[in-house]
Amino acid sequence: MTVRRATHLDITSLMVLMNEFRKFYKQESNPEEVESFLNDRMNKEDSVIFVAVLEDQLLGYTQLFPSFSTIKLEEIWILNDLFVSEQFRGLGVASQLLTSVLEFSKATHRQQVWLLTGNDNKKAQQLYHKIGFNNTKFKHYVFNF
């Protein structure tokens, strides 16, 4: 298995994974909008997507968005997505994706990577703690329109 940065050639396979990621978080399946979203991200180069690949098959992906921290006065990455196809879970795919994210973050001189996960996603939380992510003292809020 290798982890590499996604390209436009990955969009069709990546769209399937991203649609599954959204369904995991109780969103409606919408492959067309997911594909459009991916095309926008790649064309605008406003996110970084890594894919785990084995024999030309995408096993999982992660997506980073650039941001800033006023508190730390530095640039950060927000790890918005981390998803591994169900049949490849438990094989270390997520760990390798996270390792690639952390290496990339150091190479791009970001001092922090922020992420969120569902309160009930205990397996992901265990992995994040194992890799070295820490809970913060901040409470996350969202306002939906």
Side-chain angles (χ1 to χ4, degrees):
M1 172 180 45
T2 60
V3 175
R4 62 170 171 75
R5 198 155 171 181
T7 70
H8 279 90
L9 298 174
D10 297 310
I11 286 181
T12 301
S13 297
L14 194 51
M15 178 267 300
V16 172
L17 289 175
M18 189 175 283
N19 197 51
E20 289 299 313
F21 169 77
R22 294 182 72 251
K23 289 184 343 188
F24 180 83
Y25 283 106
K26 310 296 187 242
Q27 302 300 303
E28 286 188 33
S29 177
N30 195 331
E32 297 80 19
E33 282 194 28
V34 169
E35 185 173 12
S36 176
F37 181 82
L38 279 167
N39 275 309
D40 282 350
R41 300 295 64 76
M42 294 235 182
N43 291 335
K44 293 177 181 176
E45 297 180 348
D46 58 5
S47 77
V48 175
I49 302 171
F50 289 99
V51 291
V53 183
L54 180 62
E55 298 175 3
D56 296 324
Q57 182 174 10
L58 297 190
L59 313 178
Y61 81 99
T62 189
Q63 182 167 208
L64 299 169
F65 291 94
S67 191
F68 303 90
S69 170
T70 303
I71 294 170
K72 293 288 190 179
L73 298 175
E74 57 195 23
E75 295 176 284
I76 63 167
W77 287 112
I78 297 175
L79 192 158
N80 207 58
D81 311 6
L82 175 63
F83 185 77
V84 175
S85 185
E86 193 168 351
Q87 68 262 34
F88 300 112
R89 292 181 188 160
L91 302 175
V93 177
S95 294
Q96 285 202 336
L97 285 164
L98 284 170
T99 298
S100 294
V101 162
L102 297 176
E103 290 171 358
F104 178 76
S105 297
K106 286 180 185 177
T108 56
H109 309 290
R110 305 292 169 117
Q111 300 303 310
Q112 290 185 331
V113 176
W114 292 5
L115 64 81
L116 301 171
T117 192
N119 288 325
D120 60 346
N121 195 347
K122 301 300 183 196
K123 284 188 178 187
Q125 292 170 32
Q126 289 173 346
L127 174 62
Y128 300 146
H129 285 287
K130 181 180 173 184
I131 298 259
F133 283 85
N134 298 302
N135 289 334
T136 68
K137 59 183 175 184
F138 294 96
K139 179 84 172 139
H140 180 73
Y141 292 91
V142 64
F143 186 93
N144 292 315
F145 291 93

